[in-house]
Amino acid sequence: MAIDGKTLCGTRETGKKQLVHMVSAWAGNGLVLGQRKVDEKSNEITAIPKLLNALELGGTVVTIDAMGCQREIAGLIVEKKADYVLAVRRIRPAGRASQRFVLLLESDSVAEQIDCGHGRVEQRRCSVIADLSLVEKAAEWASLQGWCV
């Protein structure tokens, strides 16, 4: 199940400056399982827990982009008997540190994908490191099993 936020074009409400921003839960086949509107003066971090609480997550793997890479969100997913894969941005301290781990630790698994679309070629590479010894505050992440870089 993928959790992702999108701003909806052409949805400016009367008297408001911002467009409507929604957080959606997607099944693997593109089916929307649930949505929550992001409050006007907020962001996805506050809407994601509301959406997760509305869903039955048991036995699923929840993926969220870097916006949702929060200990509290990971804890909520685990409480609901699911697993998670959260992206880490390189600009955040954890993201910068994770880039250094690749150089120091052996990857347990590596996957690569190349996509063409929207006028560009995108190459994605994900290395999974199960050794958490260099992950700062690893114990604070609920059921952390590995670090993807």
Side-chain angles (χ1 to χ4, degrees):
M1 175 184 312
I3 306 291
D4 196 19
K6 300 285 180 212
T7 299
L8 307 177
C9 294
T11 58
R12 192 176 321 274
E13 295 176 356
T14 306
K16 297 194 177 181
K17 295 181 180 181
Q18 296 183 349
L19 297 172
V20 172
H21 191 75
M22 300 287 287
V23 175
S24 304
W26 301 85
N29 60 2
L31 176 69
V32 176
L33 301 173
Q35 293 181 312
R36 287 295 180 266
K37 183 178 171 187
V38 177
D39 294 331
E40 189 172 351
K41 296 191 182 219
S42 188
N43 60 33
E44 292 177 25
I45 295 171
T46 59
I48 290 172
K50 293 174 186 174
L51 177 59
L52 292 172
N53 279 322
L55 297 168
E56 177 59 48
L57 301 178
T60 63
V61 176
V62 178
T63 64
I64 307 175
D65 64 14
M67 177 62 85
C69 185
Q70 306 286 321
R71 286 184 205 94
E72 297 79 19
I73 290 173
L76 177 59
I77 293 168
V78 171
E79 272 180 37
K80 295 189 66 98
K81 311 242 183 290
D83 293 313
Y84 61 87
V85 176
L86 304 178
V88 178
R89 277 201 186 133
R90 290 182 195 172
I91 60 171
R92 299 178 86 184
R96 286 192 300 272
S98 69
Q99 296 303 306
R100 292 189 295 270
F101 296 155
V102 172
L103 301 174
L104 299 172
L105 299 172
E106 184 177 336
S107 295
D108 295 284
S109 179
V110 178
E112 291 185 280
Q113 179 183 24
I114 298 176
D115 284 328
C116 299
H118 305 287
R120 62 182 179 256
V121 176
E122 293 183 358
Q123 181 178 3
R124 297 178 185 92
R125 179 184 172 110
C126 180
S127 300
V128 178
I129 301 169
D131 180 356
L132 301 175
S133 63
L134 296 178
V135 177
E136 187 177 331
K137 300 182 181 179
E140 293 181 13
W141 289 88
S143 298
L144 185 63
Q145 300 295 312
W147 201 251
C148 299
V149 186

